[in-house]
Amino acid sequence: MSCEGCPNQGSCSKDASSCSVETNAQSKIKHVIAVLSGKGGVGKSTITVMLARAMQKQGLRVGIMDADITGPSIPRLMNAHERYAYATKENEIIPVDVDGIKIMSLHYLVQNESDPVIWRGPILGNVVKQFYTDVVWGELDVLLIDMPPGTGDVALTILQSLPVQGVLMVSTPQPMVSMIVTKAIKMCQEMHVPVLGIVENMAYFECPNCQEKALFYDENELEQFLHESGTKLYGQLPMNSLIRNVHQYDAYDLKQQEATMETMAQIAKAVYADVE
């Protein structure tokens, strides 16, 4: 495999012999960032959506690849779950465009949202590779890959086969989650894919009356986790309904919107600067 013609030539961590991507001639993707947690239920997909929106507001052209094939949630989080992708006569897939953010998910290729995807690992891996090679992404500044939980076949395929420049880890304060996220960090290190840093979700509760922050766990545990894992913290997000219902910004007061979006804007700016 040659790097010639690859949109990420010179900017990814792989050499030509380890890359199995066939570049789509109609796609020019400047940066590829994987969003990983190692564990489900920590808000990884929500953070992916909020990060995409924040980056777009900063003038970047953004796409989201929903690589959680068996449990795709990006379409619902983007409030675009009733739409479908379609293919051209050249068998290329046109992604769904939501407010200027391009999205590809298996959700857009199945007839019923509730139908289970009962596929084995090799098939799942081939699908995510096709989401990169066969989808007409066009020109993107950044493609965010919403990874499946865990360190299984699909995660390995993405880190081995796609030109991922860095991984953004999503965690929550519980010690058990930190331990599992550490496993995912070590997997990335073994795959020679840089871990950019961590976003801690559901880190605290802010009183709506006095705005005092109540931490769920000892703050020293976070510092120890960052030290032992050798990673940095991009930011912390509170536990509130606004983040849980990320596609319903209009249902919340202006103060909540501004605080949440300002935090994500800072995180987005820092993450993008680290891959530039």
Side-chain angles (χ1 to χ4, degrees):
M1 180 68 65
S2 170
C3 291
E4 185 177 355
C6 178
N8 294 289
Q9 182 178 357
S11 61
C12 78
S13 60
K14 298 177 177 60
D15 56 36
S17 62
S18 66
C19 184
S20 60
V21 172
E22 295 180 7
T23 305
N24 186 317
Q26 298 188 60
S27 297
K28 188 175 181 181
I29 304 169
K30 191 174 181 182
H31 302 295
V32 180
I33 300 172
V35 183
L36 179 63
S37 65
K39 187 183 188 306
V42 301
K44 169 184 52 60
S45 298
T46 301
I47 297 300
T48 302
V49 167
M50 296 176 73
L51 186 65
R53 284 179 167 163
M55 286 180 166
Q56 188 204 35
K57 285 182 179 295
Q58 293 168 7
L60 299 175
R61 297 163 296 182
V62 184
I64 303 177
M65 179 197 296
D66 190 350
D68 192 353
I69 303 299
T70 59
S73 55
I74 294 296
R76 273 199 172 267
L77 290 171
M78 291 292 290
N79 200 26
H81 53 284
E82 296 182 352
R83 298 171 61 177
Y84 293 92
Y86 63 93
T88 67
K89 61 182 180 181
E90 290 81 17
N91 292 323
E92 293 175 320
I93 304 170
I94 306 301
V96 171
D97 189 301
V98 182
D99 300 326
I101 298 174
K102 296 180 180 179
I103 307 172
M104 190 59 226
S105 171
L106 189 69
H107 175 98
Y108 295 131
L109 302 176
V110 297
Q111 186 170 3
N112 298 308
E113 182 182 30
S114 59
D115 289 344
V117 178
I118 309 174
W119 294 345
R120 295 190 182 275
I123 298 177
L124 297 175
N126 285 332
V127 169
V128 296
K129 284 197 285 188
Q130 284 184 288
F131 279 179
Y132 186 83
T133 60
D134 294 357
V135 172
V136 181
W137 292 105
E139 292 194 14
L140 296 179
D141 292 303
V142 59
L143 175 65
L144 300 175
I145 303 180
D146 182 35
M147 300 279 277
T151 56
D153 287 347
V154 175
L156 290 174
T157 297
I158 291 170
L159 296 180
Q160 284 181 325
S161 303
L162 303 188
V164 177
Q165 287 177 258
V167 175
L168 176 67
M169 303 299 302
V170 178
S171 181
T172 54
Q174 300 95 318
M176 179 63 71
V177 174
S178 298
M179 180 271 292
I180 296 173
V181 170
T182 300
K183 290 178 181 285
I185 292 173
K186 290 183 177 180
M187 175 190 70
C188 295
Q189 292 170 344
E190 291 185 15
M191 304 293 293
H192 304 291
V193 178
V195 175
L196 301 172
I198 293 174
V199 173
E200 189 176 54
N201 193 25
M202 297 179 273
Y204 59 90
F205 173 77
E206 184 174 300
C207 176
N209 297 316
C210 66
Q211 282 72 54
E212 182 178 352
K213 291 183 179 181
L215 300 177
F216 297 120
Y217 291 88
D218 189 342
E219 202 164 18
N220 291 330
E221 293 180 355
L222 172 61
E223 295 176 2
Q224 181 180 355
F225 167 55
L226 295 172
H227 175 73
E228 292 178 351
S229 63
T231 53
K232 69 177 180 181
L233 181 68
Y234 280 115
Q236 295 174 293
L237 292 171
M239 178 179 284
N240 62 27
S241 297
L242 172 59
I243 295 176
R244 185 186 65 190
N245 300 319
V246 67
H247 68 279
Q248 297 179 349
Y249 278 131
D250 293 341
Y252 301 90
D253 63 48
L254 183 60
K255 188 174 183 180
Q256 282 183 308
Q257 291 184 45
E258 289 178 344
T260 301
M261 296 179 75
E262 175 60 27
T263 299
M264 283 308 305
Q266 294 173 3
I267 293 172
K269 186 176 181 179
V271 170
Y272 190 76
D274 282 346
V275 296
E276 267 286 84

